Amino acid sequence: MLFHIGQIILYTLAFDIVIVSGGFFLGLHISWITLPIAFILAIVTLYLLYNETLDERFVIEILLSVFVFIILAFIVGKFYDLTWDGNAYHKLAVGLLKDGWNPVKEKLVHDVSAEIEDPSNYFWSEVYCKGSWFFAASVYLVTGNIECGKVYTLMIMLCVFSVSYYYFKKKNIGFLYRISIAACLALNPISVQQCLSFYIDGLLCSLLELLIIALLMLSEKSLFDKKISYSLIFGSMIICGNIKFTGLLYGGVFCIVYFLFDSWKEYRAGQMWFKRVLPGFFVFAALAVVTTCFVGYSTYITNTIRHGSPTFPLTGVNKMDIMTSNSPFVGGNRVKNLMISLFSRLDNININSDHKPILKMPFSVFWNYEKQYLGNVDNRISGFGILFSGILVLSVIIILVYVIVSKRDRKYYLVLLNVIVCIGLSLVIKESWWARYAPYIYFVTIIALIIAVSSGNRFVRRFGFVLSIIIIMNSCIPLVCLKNSYYQSKTINSSLNGLILDDGITVYSERFDGIYYNLNDKHIDYVIDDALRDDEEAYTLPYYNVKWKVGR
């Protein structure tokens, strides 16, 4: 039942994005009915793939899926997104889509050359991947609260837990051990840090975990249903490739590498290997086309047509450098920068900061210094958590010992394959020092954990279980900020309720267009006036210093 609920969650998100993308081709807009239709299609898909006897459990699974969505949406709806990007362009894009913007047919920015110098939030909304916004807008239309739209990260975290638990149960991993692995995958540090915001790096990390598990399932056709494996791959990759440009890159790399690995196995198995791998080639080719040319049309194709590059503004004639000003490093070797980031105190400095990263011993904690950064969703230094450097050292030792002493079987080559991909991406992607852009580094610890808990040695298995506890603890330490975030949200909510005045208000928010949708949700009567920026008599909200005055 847990696995089926995870399937429903993934299929619903994927179908929602597919439906929205198809509607845009026809000149339609996102509607309140989009989400219910996506959910119905998810149920139909589960029914078609259902391997168990169809009985009352199927109905229970559907009802539990609805209940889970309601609970998770309620939770995230109680927390205001307090992040810069969330209030700058994520909410703006979600609100525009909810209000009828069709990104295939309608431009937000007409003078791109002017935007290049000082890009507005509308610029980012038009050129960036939009998958998460499609789903968030669908949720927004159903709930009437834009904050509920960011439920996608928690939903996929639950999906990761259910699918990975199912996978390791079928692999005969012991109960406590499969619980611990599933929890480490679901509670990855990036997703935990970002689960109450519109940021999508944690969502991407979880989706890549799902994709890899599905690829593993596909490579073990004797143990897992091939149709179910492909459905999970399609669902994960369609979402993954349409929430971030790097999602398409990372997901594509893992799909290609696993396909080549399976092809190599077929080649070693004997004659007619090409005939056996050809269907898989066409399936993955179809997945690439669907992900980029159909579902990704509103981004990849429109960017190519309008700006000459599918991943504009990161590439192309007028490409923009968004990393230099964000980086804490001035040049330097990328490997050195990565090591400094991994083995330093938790921090969030950039090129303009007045201090540098401070190295520390693995597993050491400087609580009074590091606690001030725990609430951030995008720490640039030690972004995987304050204990991660020690966890990584132990993980590398486990993997090295395994590679040296283990027999050369299928598991051995899978471990080697995944480690090589993770290391390769770490070296090729020069921004790997920033944890939110480098989920593959976290995967190294998961590989080590799986090696340990699946060992034939009882001591090693127990050591793996202890390691899993440390990994979970490291990921969950930022949750100490949850209480403060809740009270901040309550304060903001009370302040917004105080703006529901008969005379209406005049309001201005510099660079945070998404906040206006929070005002809309409260049915506040307002007009926007940028003259309030320098008005010393204007009141200030405790929400990115939004200015306001009574009257219109």
Side-chain angles (χ1 to χ4, degrees):
M1 291 179 69
L2 185 64
F3 177 60
H4 292 151
I5 292 170
Q7 287 180 278
I8 292 173
I9 290 172
L10 179 65
Y11 299 156
T12 301
L13 264 78
F15 273 121
D16 184 273
I17 295 172
V18 170
I19 293 167
V20 171
S21 301
F24 286 152
F25 274 108
L26 302 175
L28 304 176
H29 310 294
I30 300 179
S31 166
W32 68 268
I33 203 171
T34 304
L35 185 61
I37 291 175
F39 181 73
I40 291 171
L41 290 175
I43 299 303
V44 171
T45 303
L46 179 63
Y47 170 77
L48 295 175
L49 297 173
Y50 213 74
N51 286 334
E52 289 77 16
T53 303
L54 200 64
D55 54 22
E56 66 275 5
R57 286 195 311 161
F58 186 73
V59 177
I60 294 173
E61 289 161 0
I62 296 172
L63 295 177
L64 283 175
S65 300
V66 175
F67 177 73
V68 164
F69 169 77
I70 292 173
I71 292 298
L72 296 183
F74 175 79
I75 291 171
V76 299
K78 288 295 182 181
F79 289 85
Y80 283 87
D81 185 346
L82 304 176
T83 65
W84 180 289
D85 287 5
N87 288 290
Y89 66 87
H90 282 292
K91 284 184 187 177
L92 172 64
V94 171
L96 290 170
L97 288 164
K98 175 254 187 184
D99 288 340
W101 173 43
N102 183 330
V104 172
K105 305 292 184 180
E106 302 162 344
K107 289 184 179 181
L108 292 176
V109 177
H110 295 280
D111 186 3
V112 177
S113 59
E115 289 288 335
I116 294 297
E117 297 300 323
D118 184 23
S120 70
N121 296 324
Y122 289 87
F123 174 81
W124 300 121
S125 299
E126 181 172 311
V127 299
Y128 272 175
C129 292
K130 304 169 180 65
S132 62
W133 300 337
F134 291 170
F135 182 76
S138 300
V139 174
Y140 188 10
L141 280 161
V142 171
T143 62
N145 180 359
I146 195 170
E147 299 297 338
C148 291
K150 58 185 185 286
V151 70
Y152 43 71
T153 301
L154 280 178
M155 290 176 67
I156 294 298
M157 289 171 69
L158 177 60
C159 183
V160 169
F161 181 86
S162 65
V163 173
S164 57
Y165 179 87
Y166 169 81
Y167 174 79
F168 290 108
K169 181 179 180 181
K170 294 279 280 186
K171 295 288 289 181
N172 292 320
I173 302 294
F175 175 74
L176 283 179
Y177 298 126
R178 63 177 179 261
I179 282 279
S180 65
I181 300 173
C184 288
L185 285 165
L187 298 171
N188 69 77
I190 309 303
S191 293
V192 171
Q193 293 165 19
Q194 297 185 354
C195 65
L196 297 177
S197 76
F198 278 94
Y199 270 69
I200 48 181
D201 310 286
L203 174 63
L204 174 58
C205 182
S206 294
L207 285 166
L208 286 172
E209 292 172 340
L210 266 179
L211 178 64
I212 294 169
I213 294 169
L215 289 167
L216 287 168
M217 291 170 61
L218 181 64
S219 69
E220 300 178 76
K221 298 178 179 64
S222 61
L223 195 58
F224 299 97
D225 188 307
K226 183 170 68 173
K227 296 190 295 294
I228 293 177
S229 301
Y230 271 127
S231 73
L232 296 174
I233 291 170
F234 265 73
S236 301
M237 192 61 207
I238 284 173
I239 306 170
C240 196
N242 285 286
I243 59 172
K244 284 180 75 76
F245 295 138
T246 49
L248 182 65
L249 172 63
Y250 300 159
V253 167
F254 278 104
C255 285
I256 291 170
V257 167
Y258 269 83
F259 172 74
L260 293 176
F261 177 73
D262 287 340
S263 299
W264 174 72
K265 286 193 307 177
E266 294 291 350
Y267 174 75
R268 287 173 58 90
Q271 297 178 346
M272 304 297 290
W273 67 274
F274 187 77
K275 185 177 180 180
R276 290 194 295 270
V277 303
L278 198 59
F281 171 80
F282 284 120
V283 171
F284 279 106
L287 174 59
V289 172
V290 170
T291 301
T292 57
C293 299
F294 176 68
V295 181
Y297 189 96
S298 61
T299 300
Y300 297 111
I301 305 301
T302 56
N303 276 349
T304 302
I305 295 171
R306 297 171 185 173
H307 311 296
S309 173
T311 54
F312 178 83
L314 303 187
T315 61
V317 176
N318 294 316
K319 68 178 181 180
M320 299 177 60
D321 178 9
I322 63 173
M323 294 303 298
T324 298
S325 60
N326 279 299
S327 174
F329 307 105
V330 181
N333 181 280
R334 65 183 64 185
V335 176
K336 177 183 176 182
N337 293 344
L338 174 59
M339 292 299 105
I340 291 174
S341 176
L342 289 172
F343 292 93
S344 295
R345 297 183 189 182
L346 183 65
D347 212 324
N348 200 30
I349 59 180
N350 58 35
I351 200 169
N352 297 314
S353 299
D354 57 1
H355 64 284
K356 302 295 181 183
I358 305 172
L359 293 172
K360 68 172 187 177
M361 291 292 293
F363 285 122
S364 62
V365 176
F366 295 84
W367 184 252
N368 289 333
Y369 182 91
E370 295 178 294
K371 68 179 181 181
Q372 61 187 310
Y373 301 107
L374 287 175
N376 294 335
V377 296
D378 60 347
N379 284 311
R380 293 159 174 81
I381 301 297
S382 202
F384 288 109
I386 59 178
L387 301 176
F388 187 75
S389 58
I391 294 169
L392 185 62
V393 170
L394 291 179
S395 300
V396 170
I397 293 172
I398 291 171
I399 293 172
L400 285 175
V401 172
Y402 178 82
V403 169
I404 293 170
V405 305
S406 294
K407 61 180 181 179
R408 275 43 172 178
D409 56 5
R410 179 181 176 278
K411 178 184 174 183
Y412 177 89
Y413 288 112
L414 269 176
V415 167
L416 205 59
L417 176 77
N418 284 283
V419 170
I420 290 173
V421 172
C422 292
I423 293 175
L425 288 172
S426 300
L427 296 177
V428 171
I429 307 299
K430 64 179 182 179
E431 291 83 16
S432 291
W433 51 263
W434 203 344
R436 58 182 284 211
Y437 291 130
Y440 38 82
I441 295 177
Y442 180 71
F443 298 165
V444 172
T445 67
I446 300 298
I447 294 169
L449 178 61
I450 294 171
I451 290 171
V453 301
S454 60
S455 170
N457 186 294
R458 185 171 63 177
F459 172 79
V460 176
R461 289 200 304 273
R462 290 181 176 178
F463 176 79
F465 182 74
V466 172
L467 178 62
S468 72
I469 299 300
I470 299 172
I471 292 173
I472 293 169
M473 184 170 64
N474 171 71
S475 295
C476 292
I477 287 174
L479 294 180
V480 300
C481 301
L482 202 59
K483 182 178 179 181
N484 185 52
S485 298
Y486 178 71
Y487 283 117
Q488 282 181 285
S489 295
K490 284 190 68 175
T491 301
I492 292 169
N493 191 59
S494 298
S495 298
L496 293 181
N497 286 334
L499 298 183
I500 306 175
L501 306 173
D502 292 336
D503 296 332
I505 62 169
T506 303
V507 65
Y508 176 70
S509 174
E510 185 174 8
R511 298 194 68 85
F512 298 105
D513 301 279
I515 290 176
Y516 297 130
Y517 287 95
N518 292 126
L519 304 183
N520 294 342
D521 295 345
K522 291 288 186 179
H523 304 292
I524 295 171
D525 183 17
Y526 70 91
V527 293
I528 301 170
D529 185 1
D530 60 5
L532 287 182
R533 180 189 322 187
D534 303 314
D535 191 334
E536 296 181 358
E537 296 182 358
Y539 299 102
T540 303
L541 280 175
Y543 197 14
Y544 280 106
N545 298 319
V546 176
K547 295 291 191 71
W548 69 278
K549 291 185 72 172
V550 177
R552 300 183 49 140

PDB file of all heavy atoms in Angstrom, residues 486-508:
ATOM      1  N   TYR A 486       7.634  29.099  12.155  1.00  0.00           N
ATOM      2  CA  TYR A 486       6.187  29.078  12.379  1.00  0.00           C
ATOM      3  C   TYR A 486       5.712  30.384  13.015  1.00  0.00           C
ATOM      4  O   TYR A 486       4.696  30.961  12.589  1.00  0.00           O
ATOM      5  CB  TYR A 486       5.816  27.894  13.261  1.00  0.00           C
ATOM      6  CG  TYR A 486       4.341  27.821  13.596  1.00  0.00           C
ATOM      7  CD1 TYR A 486       3.404  27.478  12.613  1.00  0.00           C
ATOM      8  CD2 TYR A 486       3.879  28.117  14.871  1.00  0.00           C
ATOM      9  CE1 TYR A 486       2.046  27.416  12.905  1.00  0.00           C
ATOM     10  CE2 TYR A 486       2.529  28.058  15.180  1.00  0.00           C
ATOM     11  CZ  TYR A 486       1.613  27.706  14.191  1.00  0.00           C
ATOM     12  OH  TYR A 486       0.276  27.658  14.479  1.00  0.00           O
ATOM     13  N   TYR A 487       6.448  30.869  14.009  1.00  0.00           N
ATOM     14  CA  TYR A 487       6.053  32.116  14.666  1.00  0.00           C
ATOM     15  C   TYR A 487       6.229  33.320  13.740  1.00  0.00           C
ATOM     16  O   TYR A 487       5.440  34.274  13.792  1.00  0.00           O
ATOM     17  CB  TYR A 487       6.832  32.306  15.963  1.00  0.00           C
ATOM     18  CG  TYR A 487       6.308  31.446  17.092  1.00  0.00           C
ATOM     19  CD1 TYR A 487       7.088  30.464  17.674  1.00  0.00           C
ATOM     20  CD2 TYR A 487       4.995  31.599  17.555  1.00  0.00           C
ATOM     21  CE1 TYR A 487       6.599  29.654  18.701  1.00  0.00           C
ATOM     22  CE2 TYR A 487       4.492  30.803  18.565  1.00  0.00           C
ATOM     23  CZ  TYR A 487       5.297  29.833  19.135  1.00  0.00           C
ATOM     24  OH  TYR A 487       4.798  29.031  20.140  1.00  0.00           O
ATOM     25  N   GLN A 488       7.254  33.293  12.888  1.00  0.00           N
ATOM     26  CA  GLN A 488       7.399  34.344  11.887  1.00  0.00           C
ATOM     27  C   GLN A 488       6.202  34.358  10.947  1.00  0.00           C
ATOM     28  O   GLN A 488       5.674  35.430  10.605  1.00  0.00           O
ATOM     29  CB  GLN A 488       8.684  34.138  11.081  1.00  0.00           C
ATOM     30  CG  GLN A 488       9.952  34.557  11.789  1.00  0.00           C
ATOM     31  CD  GLN A 488      11.175  34.342  10.907  1.00  0.00           C
ATOM     32  OE1 GLN A 488      11.637  33.227  10.699  1.00  0.00           O
ATOM     33  NE2 GLN A 488      11.687  35.427  10.370  1.00  0.00           N
ATOM     34  N   SER A 489       5.759  33.168  10.549  1.00  0.00           N
ATOM     35  CA  SER A 489       4.606  33.071   9.658  1.00  0.00           C
ATOM     36  C   SER A 489       3.337  33.559  10.340  1.00  0.00           C
ATOM     37  O   SER A 489       2.494  34.211   9.711  1.00  0.00           O
ATOM     38  CB  SER A 489       4.430  31.620   9.186  1.00  0.00           C
ATOM     39  OG  SER A 489       5.524  31.209   8.390  1.00  0.00           O
ATOM     40  N   LYS A 490       3.186  33.237  11.621  1.00  0.00           N
ATOM     41  CA  LYS A 490       2.019  33.726  12.361  1.00  0.00           C
ATOM     42  C   LYS A 490       2.028  35.245  12.447  1.00  0.00           C
ATOM     43  O   LYS A 490       0.974  35.897  12.331  1.00  0.00           O
ATOM     44  CB  LYS A 490       2.005  33.120  13.772  1.00  0.00           C
ATOM     45  CG  LYS A 490       1.571  31.669  13.831  1.00  0.00           C
ATOM     46  CD  LYS A 490       1.333  31.211  15.271  1.00  0.00           C
ATOM     47  CE  LYS A 490       0.128  31.901  15.893  1.00  0.00           C
ATOM     48  NZ  LYS A 490      -0.183  31.363  17.243  1.00  0.00           N
ATOM     49  N   THR A 491       3.204  35.826  12.661  1.00  0.00           N
ATOM     50  CA  THR A 491       3.325  37.282  12.732  1.00  0.00           C
ATOM     51  C   THR A 491       2.947  37.919  11.402  1.00  0.00           C
ATOM     52  O   THR A 491       2.214  38.917  11.359  1.00  0.00           O
ATOM     53  CB  THR A 491       4.759  37.683  13.110  1.00  0.00           C
ATOM     54  OG1 THR A 491       5.097  37.119  14.370  1.00  0.00           O
ATOM     55  CG2 THR A 491       4.900  39.197  13.168  1.00  0.00           C
ATOM     56  N   ILE A 492       3.447  37.338  10.311  1.00  0.00           N
ATOM     57  CA  ILE A 492       3.123  37.855   8.980  1.00  0.00           C
ATOM     58  C   ILE A 492       1.634  37.729   8.715  1.00  0.00           C
ATOM     59  O   ILE A 492       0.991  38.654   8.194  1.00  0.00           O
ATOM     60  CB  ILE A 492       3.926  37.096   7.901  1.00  0.00           C
ATOM     61  CG1 ILE A 492       5.414  37.430   8.024  1.00  0.00           C
ATOM     62  CG2 ILE A 492       3.418  37.434   6.502  1.00  0.00           C
ATOM     63  CD1 ILE A 492       6.306  36.537   7.192  1.00  0.00           C
ATOM     64  N   ASN A 493       1.057  36.593   9.088  1.00  0.00           N
ATOM     65  CA  ASN A 493      -0.369  36.367   8.874  1.00  0.00           C
ATOM     66  C   ASN A 493      -1.199  37.402   9.626  1.00  0.00           C
ATOM     67  O   ASN A 493      -2.170  37.954   9.085  1.00  0.00           O
ATOM     68  CB  ASN A 493      -0.738  34.954   9.325  1.00  0.00           C
ATOM     69  CG  ASN A 493      -2.135  34.552   8.885  1.00  0.00           C
ATOM     70  OD1 ASN A 493      -2.434  34.540   7.696  1.00  0.00           O
ATOM     71  ND2 ASN A 493      -2.984  34.223   9.842  1.00  0.00           N
ATOM     72  N   SER A 494      -0.827  37.673  10.869  1.00  0.00           N
ATOM     73  CA  SER A 494      -1.550  38.679  11.658  1.00  0.00           C
ATOM     74  C   SER A 494      -1.417  40.060  11.035  1.00  0.00           C
ATOM     75  O   SER A 494      -2.380  40.836  10.995  1.00  0.00           O
ATOM     76  CB  SER A 494      -1.013  38.705  13.100  1.00  0.00           C
ATOM     77  OG  SER A 494      -1.216  37.462  13.737  1.00  0.00           O
ATOM     78  N   SER A 495      -0.224  40.363  10.542  1.00  0.00           N
ATOM     79  CA  SER A 495       0.006  41.672   9.917  1.00  0.00           C
ATOM     80  C   SER A 495      -0.837  41.823   8.659  1.00  0.00           C
ATOM     81  O   SER A 495      -1.414  42.885   8.402  1.00  0.00           O
ATOM     82  CB  SER A 495       1.483  41.841   9.573  1.00  0.00           C
ATOM     83  OG  SER A 495       2.283  41.793  10.742  1.00  0.00           O
ATOM     84  N   LEU A 496      -0.922  40.759   7.850  1.00  0.00           N
ATOM     85  CA  LEU A 496      -1.724  40.822   6.633  1.00  0.00           C
ATOM     86  C   LEU A 496      -3.208  40.944   6.962  1.00  0.00           C
ATOM     87  O   LEU A 496      -3.950  41.670   6.278  1.00  0.00           O
ATOM     88  CB  LEU A 496      -1.481  39.585   5.773  1.00  0.00           C
ATOM     89  CG  LEU A 496      -0.085  39.440   5.158  1.00  0.00           C
ATOM     90  CD1 LEU A 496       0.002  38.173   4.323  1.00  0.00           C
ATOM     91  CD2 LEU A 496       0.271  40.649   4.310  1.00  0.00           C
ATOM     92  N   ASN A 497      -3.653  40.249   8.010  1.00  0.00           N
ATOM     93  CA  ASN A 497      -5.055  40.364   8.419  1.00  0.00           C
ATOM     94  C   ASN A 497      -5.389  41.798   8.821  1.00  0.00           C
ATOM     95  O   ASN A 497      -6.522  42.266   8.632  1.00  0.00           O
ATOM     96  CB  ASN A 497      -5.347  39.419   9.583  1.00  0.00           C
ATOM     97  CG  ASN A 497      -5.424  37.966   9.148  1.00  0.00           C
ATOM     98  OD1 ASN A 497      -5.731  37.670   7.987  1.00  0.00           O
ATOM     99  ND2 ASN A 497      -5.155  37.051  10.063  1.00  0.00           N
ATOM    100  N   GLY A 498      -4.389  42.488   9.365  1.00  0.00           N
ATOM    101  CA  GLY A 498      -4.597  43.885   9.771  1.00  0.00           C
ATOM    102  C   GLY A 498      -4.722  44.844   8.607  1.00  0.00           C
ATOM    103  O   GLY A 498      -5.101  46.008   8.792  1.00  0.00           O
ATOM    104  N   LEU A 499      -4.414  44.383   7.402  1.00  0.00           N
ATOM    105  CA  LEU A 499      -4.486  45.242   6.222  1.00  0.00           C
ATOM    106  C   LEU A 499      -5.828  45.146   5.507  1.00  0.00           C
ATOM    107  O   LEU A 499      -6.031  45.792   4.482  1.00  0.00           O
ATOM    108  CB  LEU A 499      -3.375  44.873   5.235  1.00  0.00           C
ATOM    109  CG  LEU A 499      -1.936  45.038   5.724  1.00  0.00           C
ATOM    110  CD1 LEU A 499      -0.959  44.695   4.606  1.00  0.00           C
ATOM    111  CD2 LEU A 499      -1.695  46.458   6.200  1.00  0.00           C
ATOM    112  N   ILE A 500      -6.738  44.328   6.030  1.00  0.00           N
ATOM    113  CA  ILE A 500      -8.064  44.205   5.421  1.00  0.00           C
ATOM    114  C   ILE A 500      -8.906  45.383   5.905  1.00  0.00           C
ATOM    115  O   ILE A 500      -9.649  45.306   6.891  1.00  0.00           O
ATOM    116  CB  ILE A 500      -8.719  42.862   5.796  1.00  0.00           C
ATOM    117  CG1 ILE A 500      -7.786  41.702   5.448  1.00  0.00           C
ATOM    118  CG2 ILE A 500     -10.053  42.694   5.065  1.00  0.00           C
ATOM    119  CD1 ILE A 500      -8.286  40.342   5.879  1.00  0.00           C
ATOM    120  N   LEU A 501      -8.758  46.525   5.221  1.00  0.00           N
ATOM    121  CA  LEU A 501      -9.396  47.778   5.616  1.00  0.00           C
ATOM    122  C   LEU A 501     -10.433  48.201   4.583  1.00  0.00           C
ATOM    123  O   LEU A 501     -10.259  47.980   3.386  1.00  0.00           O
ATOM    124  CB  LEU A 501      -8.340  48.887   5.767  1.00  0.00           C
ATOM    125  CG  LEU A 501      -7.165  48.572   6.707  1.00  0.00           C
ATOM    126  CD1 LEU A 501      -6.117  49.674   6.614  1.00  0.00           C
ATOM    127  CD2 LEU A 501      -7.647  48.400   8.129  1.00  0.00           C
ATOM    128  N   ASP A 502     -11.483  48.836   5.063  1.00  0.00           N
ATOM    129  CA  ASP A 502     -12.553  49.287   4.160  1.00  0.00           C
ATOM    130  C   ASP A 502     -12.046  50.311   3.155  1.00  0.00           C
ATOM    131  O   ASP A 502     -12.502  50.357   2.005  1.00  0.00           O
ATOM    132  CB  ASP A 502     -13.713  49.884   4.969  1.00  0.00           C
ATOM    133  CG  ASP A 502     -14.450  48.830   5.789  1.00  0.00           C
ATOM    134  OD1 ASP A 502     -14.372  47.645   5.397  1.00  0.00           O
ATOM    135  OD2 ASP A 502     -15.075  49.177   6.799  1.00  0.00           O
ATOM    136  N   ASP A 503     -11.104  51.154   3.572  1.00  0.00           N
ATOM    137  CA  ASP A 503     -10.584  52.208   2.701  1.00  0.00           C
ATOM    138  C   ASP A 503      -9.537  51.687   1.721  1.00  0.00           C
ATOM    139  O   ASP A 503      -9.088  52.418   0.843  1.00  0.00           O
ATOM    140  CB  ASP A 503      -9.959  53.333   3.537  1.00  0.00           C
ATOM    141  CG  ASP A 503     -10.989  54.041   4.408  1.00  0.00           C
ATOM    142  OD1 ASP A 503     -12.177  54.049   3.999  1.00  0.00           O
ATOM    143  OD2 ASP A 503     -10.613  54.566   5.467  1.00  0.00           O
ATOM    144  N   GLY A 504      -9.138  50.428   1.891  1.00  0.00           N
ATOM    145  CA  GLY A 504      -8.088  49.893   1.045  1.00  0.00           C
ATOM    146  C   GLY A 504      -6.730  50.444   1.445  1.00  0.00           C
ATOM    147  O   GLY A 504      -6.605  51.275   2.353  1.00  0.00           O
ATOM    148  N   ILE A 505      -5.679  49.964   0.769  1.00  0.00           N
ATOM    149  CA  ILE A 505      -4.328  50.417   1.094  1.00  0.00           C
ATOM    150  C   ILE A 505      -3.524  50.651  -0.190  1.00  0.00           C
ATOM    151  O   ILE A 505      -3.879  50.171  -1.261  1.00  0.00           O
ATOM    152  CB  ILE A 505      -3.566  49.398   1.966  1.00  0.00           C
ATOM    153  CG1 ILE A 505      -3.387  48.065   1.210  1.00  0.00           C
ATOM    154  CG2 ILE A 505      -4.250  49.178   3.292  1.00  0.00           C
ATOM    155  CD1 ILE A 505      -2.424  47.113   1.895  1.00  0.00           C
ATOM    156  N   THR A 506      -2.459  51.426  -0.025  1.00  0.00           N
ATOM    157  CA  THR A 506      -1.442  51.577  -1.061  1.00  0.00           C
ATOM    158  C   THR A 506      -0.223  50.802  -0.586  1.00  0.00           C
ATOM    159  O   THR A 506       0.150  50.864   0.585  1.00  0.00           O
ATOM    160  CB  THR A 506      -1.077  53.055  -1.266  1.00  0.00           C
ATOM    161  OG1 THR A 506      -2.253  53.790  -1.583  1.00  0.00           O
ATOM    162  CG2 THR A 506      -0.069  53.205  -2.401  1.00  0.00           C
ATOM    163  N   VAL A 507       0.394  50.059  -1.488  1.00  0.00           N
ATOM    164  CA  VAL A 507       1.456  49.153  -1.057  1.00  0.00           C
ATOM    165  C   VAL A 507       2.590  49.144  -2.085  1.00  0.00           C
ATOM    166  O   VAL A 507       2.388  49.441  -3.270  1.00  0.00           O
ATOM    167  CB  VAL A 507       0.889  47.720  -0.865  1.00  0.00           C
ATOM    168  CG1 VAL A 507       0.427  47.144  -2.182  1.00  0.00           C
ATOM    169  CG2 VAL A 507       1.901  46.803  -0.210  1.00  0.00           C
ATOM    170  N   TYR A 508       3.806  48.812  -1.617  1.00  0.00           N
ATOM    171  CA  TYR A 508       4.942  48.673  -2.522  1.00  0.00           C
ATOM    172  C   TYR A 508       5.943  47.676  -1.949  1.00  0.00           C
ATOM    173  O   TYR A 508       6.315  47.763  -0.774  1.00  0.00           O
ATOM    174  CB  TYR A 508       5.647  50.011  -2.747  1.00  0.00           C
ATOM    175  CG  TYR A 508       6.883  49.879  -3.609  1.00  0.00           C
ATOM    176  CD1 TYR A 508       6.772  49.582  -4.963  1.00  0.00           C
ATOM    177  CD2 TYR A 508       8.153  50.022  -3.067  1.00  0.00           C
ATOM    178  CE1 TYR A 508       7.897  49.432  -5.761  1.00  0.00           C
ATOM    179  CE2 TYR A 508       9.281  49.879  -3.853  1.00  0.00           C
ATOM    180  CZ  TYR A 508       9.154  49.584  -5.199  1.00  0.00           C
ATOM    181  OH  TYR A 508      10.267  49.434  -5.979  1.00  0.00           O
TER     182      TYR A 508
END
